[in-house]
């Protein structure tokens, strides 16, 4: 489902009568943010417009609302955990049934991390684990750029939902850029 449609549907369920007003403002903010994107690569533009900026605009729309500003972070965090995190987790759990899941997933993940321009990272791998240390992150940078660095931890928490308690893949992390760390230190290991 398109992110904007998903946000609209979720707002109606979550905040009822205020949903249309918040969604209209969120859509306006989102359009302005998209129009301000200059000098981005195609991959960055796609990730910003499809993934990051709809949620940033939702948060900023809620923050600007006198009735809902006090609960803006909690609302967006709830959306990101219960909707986005749950979807990503479900997809990852489905992949676990594939024979050789760990090997296939680790090779694919590492290849993406080595070639993406969404973040800067170093990778370390062995047969039974791989570590990724992210030192520059599009999600963190976008939250700062669009005036809400305090929202970034919600993006980080989606990883915990996506990778937490899987059957074949273990995950841990001690810090993230979004939560004030000097890097994001992802550790994945074979269970």
């Amino acid at each position: 489902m398109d992110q904007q449609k998903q946000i609209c549907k979720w707002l109606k369920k979550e905040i009822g009568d205020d949903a249309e007003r918040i969604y209209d403002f969120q859509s306006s903010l989102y359009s302005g943010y998209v129009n301000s994107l200059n000098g981005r690569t195609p991959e960055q533009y796609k990730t910003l417009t499809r993934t990051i900026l709809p949620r940033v605009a939702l948060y900023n729309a809620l923050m600007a609302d006198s009735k809902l500003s006090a609960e803006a972070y909690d609302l967006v965090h709830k959306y990101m955990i219960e909707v986005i995190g749950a979807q990503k987790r479900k997809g990852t759990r489905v992949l676990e049934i594939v024979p050789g899941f760990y090997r296939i997933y680790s090779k694919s993940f590492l290849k993406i991390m080595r070639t993406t321009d969404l973040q800067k990272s170093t990778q370390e791998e062995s047969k039974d684990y791989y570590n990724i240390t992210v030192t520059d992150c599009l999600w963190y940078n976008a939250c700062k750029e669009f005036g809400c660095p305090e929202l970034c931890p919600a993006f980080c928490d989606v990883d915990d939902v996506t990778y937490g308690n899987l059957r074949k893949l273990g995950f841990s992390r001690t810090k993230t850029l979004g939560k004030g760390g000097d890097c994001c230190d992802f550790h994945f290991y074979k269970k």
Side-chain angles (χ1 to χ4, degrees), residues 87-114 125 127 129-130 132 158-159 161-164 166 168-171 186-190:
Q87 288 171 349
K88 291 179 78 172
R89 179 177 178 75
K90 182 178 178 182
T92 306
R93 289 203 82 142
V94 166
L95 291 174
E96 281 193 297
I97 65 171
V98 174
F101 165 78
Y102 176 81
R103 182 181 48 78
I104 294 166
Y105 195 83
S106 65
K107 294 297 179 196
S108 297
F109 197 96
L110 286 164
K111 181 179 181 184
I112 290 167
M113 293 305 290
R114 289 180 179 131
E125 66 179 302
K127 181 181 171 199
Y129 77 89
Y130 57 102
I132 298 172
V158 170
D159 292 335
V161 173
T162 303
Y163 300 114
L166 294 173
K168 296 181 180 180
L169 179 68
F171 168 73
F186 294 87
H187 175 64
F188 293 93
Y189 54 94
K190 185 177 183 178

Side-chain angles (χ1 to χ4, degrees), residues 58-64 68-78 151:
L58 175 60
Y59 176 73
N60 285 336
L62 289 164
M63 284 298 291
L68 297 166
S69 63
E71 56 187 313
Y73 182 87
D74 291 337
L75 284 166
V76 176
H77 189 268
K78 181 177 183 179
L151 178 62

Side-chain angles (χ1 to χ4, degrees), residues 153 156 159 173-186:
C156 302
D159 292 335
R173 186 175 55 195
T174 65
K175 56 188 171 179
T176 69
L177 293 166
K179 294 181 179 183
D182 59 344
C183 68
C184 304
D185 61 345
F186 294 87

Side-chain angles (χ1 to χ4, degrees), residues 20-133:
E20 189 173 328
R21 178 174 48 79
I22 295 297
Y23 180 72
D24 288 346
F25 189 45
Q26 184 270 352
S27 295
S28 174
L29 287 174
Y30 173 69
S31 293
Y33 296 163
V34 170
N35 290 334
S36 75
L37 295 177
N38 296 312
R40 310 302 169 114
T41 68
E43 185 179 15
Q44 291 168 344
Y45 184 85
K46 179 180 173 182
T47 301
L48 283 162
T49 59
R50 291 186 182 177
T51 304
I52 302 171
L53 293 181
R55 299 169 203 168
V56 166
L58 175 60
Y59 176 73
N60 285 336
L62 289 164
M63 284 298 291
D65 188 82
S66 60
K67 287 174 64 178
L68 297 166
S69 63
E71 56 187 313
Y73 182 87
D74 291 337
L75 284 166
V76 176
H77 189 268
K78 181 177 183 179
Y79 169 74
M80 290 179 58
I81 297 303
E82 293 180 3
V83 177
I84 304 304
Q87 288 171 349
K88 291 179 78 172
R89 179 177 178 75
K90 182 178 178 182
T92 306
R93 289 203 82 142
V94 166
L95 291 174
E96 281 193 297
I97 65 171
V98 174
F101 165 78
Y102 176 81
R103 182 181 48 78
I104 294 166
Y105 195 83
S106 65
K107 294 297 179 196
S108 297
F109 197 96
L110 286 164
K111 181 179 181 184
I112 290 167
M113 293 305 290
R114 289 180 179 131
T115 58
T116 187
D117 65 0
L118 302 181
Q119 61 259 332
K120 292 179 184 164
S121 68
T122 56
Q123 306 82 33
E124 174 190 354
E125 66 179 302
S126 80
K127 181 181 171 199
D128 295 327
Y129 77 89
Y130 57 102
N131 296 326
I132 298 172
T133 303

